[in-house]
Amino acid sequence: MHISAFGAALRTPDLRKKILFTIGLLGLYRLGSVLPTPGVDYSAIQRCIDVVQDNSVYALINLFSGGALLQLSVFALGIMPYITASIILQLLTVVIPRLETLKADGQAGQAKITQYTRFVTIGLAILQSTAILSLARTPGALFNGCNESIIPNQSIWVILVMITVMTAGTAVIMWFGELITERGVGNGMSVLIFTSIIATIPAQFASIWGSQGPFTFFATLAVGVAIIGFVVFVEQAQRRIPVQYAKRMVGRRMYGGTSTYIPLKVNMAGVIPVIFASSLLFLPTLLVQLTGSQAEWAVWIQQNLGRGTGPWYMALYFALIVFFCYFYVSITFNPVEVADNMKKYGGFIPGIRAGRPTAEYLDYVLTRLTAPGALYLGAIAIMPLFAFSFLGVANRFVFGGTSLLIIVGVGLDTVKQIEAQLQQRNYEGFLR
């Protein structure tokens, strides 16, 4: 990234307006993340957070909300209801013909799917806020080991107001994301997640410096930078399959005769498999935390999965990531559909016949490309667990695979968007 290019971006009026608009909305987002919901005892919340601050389960809960969830703020639910709704709609598209038809209808169909996603998001926000507040009403239920009364007035009207405020907060966040996508820089939802994650990092670094000393702090920083460099290298890697379009006459005009390629990334699934795997492994630990069970199965879960650093946890985490990577790629990339579209417009892969042979070839390449991609995702997910456990900061520094992939992916995507707009104006740009 060049300083002169950044200055050129700020000197361009419309691009400067987009950057400042995005920064302004992110500032409002962070303000809502620390603004308490009406009816919450803020001082009691802070005392409870101090009690559970070293618990990795609560740190994982708080990760995607940027510290807002445990404070029961206006934006406590964060962007997670929207992400969950988007994943649900994406999975249902494969099994519900109506949604599959809408997806094939182009922009109009996508607008309808987006509308369905909004409705599902509001429904999930109501359910999640109700569940969280039902736990918060009982001292010690939301914060294990803290018996403070964090909702002093538990009348039905106060609880309804709190549910309404937290649900409205999710709707506002969803609106912020769409505004950033339309009028700002980058993908709005991704930028909001990026902001939530990096908002917690300074406090985690300060905690490591204060408790472990400068040597561990700089060692942790070096490990994080090294892993980020590796993630950037692999995230940019792709297999380009050449495609040739035959010349054809339409009326008096000649079309085709051009060459292009199909870019297949090594990591086609992105961060979704890591989110799925971490969520599944998080559920048993959350169940034990909420029930307070001391049964044999609960003790085993707490010992092997609760800390997030044991061999059983790492093995299951790795296996689930590999499984979900293949599963997600299989439902998001359809070789038959791609081959049919190529044949429709006169395209073919050199040396491969159009139609079914092309689909089989694409499936062959994708299957073998997904293998290193899945192993890479699994390695990135457990590598920080090994490294930070060795440094003794695993419970204080939840800078794991999910965080790294989101930070790098969103950062690269945002920089590329600014780069594209700079190149349109004949500026040097960020990347060389």
Side-chain angles (χ1 to χ4, degrees), residues 181-332:
T181 302
E182 292 175 7
R183 304 181 187 178
V185 177
N187 181 284
M189 301 304 173
S190 300
V191 171
L192 291 177
I193 299 173
F194 175 86
T195 305
S196 297
I197 293 174
I198 64 172
T200 62
I201 293 177
Q204 293 170 348
F205 272 129
S207 175
I208 293 170
W209 181 283
S211 61
Q212 307 287 93
F215 175 79
T216 304
F217 170 81
F218 286 112
T220 302
L221 185 62
V223 169
V225 170
I227 295 175
I228 287 175
F230 176 65
V231 171
V232 170
F233 177 76
V234 179
E235 285 295 314
Q236 299 287 76
Q238 58 182 224
R239 167 76 182 274
R240 296 181 175 182
I241 299 179
V243 177
Q244 182 75 35
Y245 284 91
K247 292 182 179 181
R248 56 196 178 100
M249 184 71 72
V250 179
R252 295 185 177 183
R253 291 190 176 184
M254 182 74 72
Y255 291 92
T258 58
S259 297
T260 183
Y261 60 86
I262 302 174
L264 297 180
K265 294 181 64 176
V266 173
N267 180 22
M268 288 279 288
V271 73
I272 297 298
V274 182
I275 295 176
F276 279 4
S278 58
S279 299
L280 275 183
L281 285 179
F282 165 68
L283 289 177
T285 307
L286 179 62
L287 179 64
V288 173
Q289 291 274 0
L290 297 180
T291 60
S293 175
Q294 297 298 322
E296 186 176 346
W297 63 270
V299 173
W300 188 91
I301 289 175
Q302 196 66 29
Q303 290 177 347
N304 294 280
L305 303 181
R307 292 175 299 169
T309 56
W312 273 104
Y313 180 90
M314 292 186 183
L316 288 173
Y317 195 27
F318 187 89
L320 285 173
I321 288 173
V322 173
F323 168 76
F324 281 123
C325 191
Y326 274 96
F327 172 75
Y328 190 75
V329 170
S330 68
I331 66 173
T332 54

